[in-house]
């Protein structure tokens, strides 16, 4: 299966993707995670992306499209789930085109809808493991020991773009640049099924609905 997960910052894309890949044996391709790795390794791409990421702006399409095409080309035949990409209509068109060239298409698009008022609380309370990428929350999803990853004992960190000020900018850019991607998938794209899910609910309830939809896609 080839899946796109859409949603505002803090909608729970990363949280649900980790559960999806475990259940369906897909690979998780997160544009944000790939960019953070490039930044940590000090690559040219990472250096170019850093100032955009720190201010909550989108990284230019030409850098992202090439980076994600490379990641998709290495994905196994079982498929992938895209998280954070595409994020502009131009990126969505480029993705459709590059998949068509290799005789593939997106099988399903899931849009996680969350109210703006929940986003700030979720993002500013997020803590992540720098080693395994596990995601926690200081109230909603606490690790067994405060500040320590359950999986590998690493000290949890807060992302530099998870401050109140940067979140406001990320949300502004989401409404302006990424919401039109939802309409693109509803109306124009060659992608398969489109589903909208209520991501205000707790993460386990959201997963039940995600799996219900993806089971249908897997059987079709
Ligand atoms: P990216 O890393 O993609 O960030 P994002 O889209 O802003 O999404 P987040 O990772 O913040 O949220 P999420 O939906 O994954 O939520 P999570 O599951 O962690 O992008 C970062 C930056 O990179 C961008 O700003 C941009 O600069 C650049 N970039 C990336 N892709 C790009 C592209 N395609 N084009 C251009 N630039 C790009 O959950 C958040 C918190 O809430 C966690 O603590 C979690 O435990 C909690 N939580 C999750 N679900 C629930 C729930 N249902 N109820 C309660 N709490 C929940």
């Amino acid at each position: 299966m080839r899946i796109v997960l859409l949603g505002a910052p803090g909608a729970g894309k990363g949280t649900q993707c980790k559960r999806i890949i475990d259940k369906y044996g897909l690979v998780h391709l997160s544009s944000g995670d790939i960019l953070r790795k490039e930044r940590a390794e000090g690559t040219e791409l990472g250096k170019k992306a850093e100032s955009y990421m720190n201010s909550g702006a989108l990284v230019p399409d030409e850098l992202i499209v090439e980076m994600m095409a490379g990641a998709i080309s290495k994905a196994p035949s079982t498929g992938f789930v895209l998280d954070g990409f595409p994020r502009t209509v131009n990126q969505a068109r480029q993705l459709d085109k590059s998949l068509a060239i290799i005789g593939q298409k997106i099988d399903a698009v899931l849009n996680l809808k969350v109210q703006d008022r929940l986003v700030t609380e979720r993002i500013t309370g997020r803590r992540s493991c720098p080693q395994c990428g596990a995601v926690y929350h200081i109230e909603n999803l606490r690790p067994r020991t405060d500040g320590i990853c359950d999986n590998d004992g690493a000290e949890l960190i807060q992302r530099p773009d998870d401050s109140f000020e940067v979140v406001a900018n990320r949300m502004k850019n989401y409404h302006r640049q990424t919401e039109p991607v939802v309409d693109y998938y509803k109306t124009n794209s060659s992608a398969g099924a489109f589903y909208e899910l209520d991501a205000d609910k707790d993460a386990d309830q959201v997963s039940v609905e995600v799996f219900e939809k993806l089971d249908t896609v897997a059987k079709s």
Side-chain angles (χ1 to χ4, degrees), residues 8-15 31-32 35-36 52-53 56-59 64 83-85 87 91 122-123 126 135-137 140-141 159 161 170 199 201-203 206:
K13 302 183 295 297
T15 302
S31 47
L35 286 168
R36 280 184 283 280
Y52 296 101
M53 295 172 78
L58 292 190
V59 176
I64 295 292
D83 164 6
F85 174 81
R87 221 170 174 112
Q91 291 180 16
R122 284 192 190 178
I123 290 190
R126 170 171 47 198
V135 172
Y136 301 89
H137 189 277
N140 308 332
L141 199 67
R159 274 171 41 179
D161 59 342
R170 286 163 62 190
K201 294 180 181 166
D202 99 2
V206 177

Side-chain angles (χ1 to χ4, degrees), residues 4-219:
V4 169
L5 213 58
L6 298 175
K13 302 183 295 297
T15 302
Q16 296 302 328
C17 277
K18 295 208 165 30
R19 299 174 184 197
I20 292 171
I21 59 167
D22 287 347
K23 182 167 159 75
Y24 299 97
L26 307 177
V27 69
H28 179 194
L29 301 179
S30 156
S31 47
D33 286 351
I34 298 173
L35 286 168
R36 280 184 283 280
K37 184 163 178 282
E38 296 278 342
R39 187 176 58 186
E41 289 171 356
T43 65
E44 272 312 300
L45 172 59
K47 284 181 198 153
K48 282 184 190 158
E50 182 159 26
S51 62
Y52 296 101
M53 295 172 78
N54 287 347
S55 68
L58 292 190
V59 176
D61 283 354
E62 58 273 21
L63 298 179
I64 295 292
V65 167
E66 194 186 330
M67 176 185 92
M68 293 308 288
I72 288 170
S73 71
K74 292 183 204 127
S77 57
T78 44
F80 52 78
V81 49
L82 295 175
D83 164 6
F85 174 81
R87 221 170 174 112
T88 63
V89 171
N90 180 42
Q91 291 180 16
R93 288 204 184 102
Q94 301 286 338
L95 172 64
D96 274 353
K97 270 192 209 159
S98 56
L99 288 176
I101 290 170
I102 51 171
Q104 295 184 353
K105 68 177 191 58
I106 296 297
D107 299 307
V109 177
L110 272 58
N111 183 31
L112 299 182
K113 288 188 76 174
V114 64
Q115 292 185 55
D116 284 16
R117 66 179 179 80
L118 296 177
V119 163
T120 309
E121 181 200 308
R122 284 192 190 178
I123 290 190
T124 55
R126 170 171 47 198
R127 298 293 180 272
S128 320
C129 175
Q131 279 183 28
C132 71
V135 172
Y136 301 89
H137 189 277
I138 52 170
E139 307 279 345
N140 308 332
L141 199 67
R142 301 172 67 158
R144 285 193 292 273
T145 308
D146 275 354
I148 302 294
C149 180
D150 292 346
N151 300 334
D152 52 28
E155 202 167 321
L156 301 178
I157 55 158
Q158 186 170 25
R159 274 171 41 179
D161 59 342
D162 279 353
S163 65
F164 282 98
E165 301 73 27
V166 181
V167 171
N169 204 28
R170 286 163 62 190
M171 285 306 288
K172 198 176 79 196
N173 290 325
Y174 168 76
H175 288 303
R176 197 163 57 89
Q177 293 170 283
T178 307
E179 254 176 3
V181 177
V182 174
D183 286 332
Y184 173 81
Y185 279 118
K186 272 186 188 163
T187 55
N188 299 319
S189 164
S190 58
F194 179 90
Y195 300 107
E196 237 156 25
L197 301 166
D198 177 2
D200 291 353
K201 294 180 181 166
D202 99 2
D204 290 343
Q205 283 179 284
V206 177
S207 295
V208 169
E209 290 180 30
V210 165
F211 294 159
E212 196 184 285
K213 306 299 180 205
L214 292 183
D215 283 348
T216 311
V217 176
K219 281 185 207 138

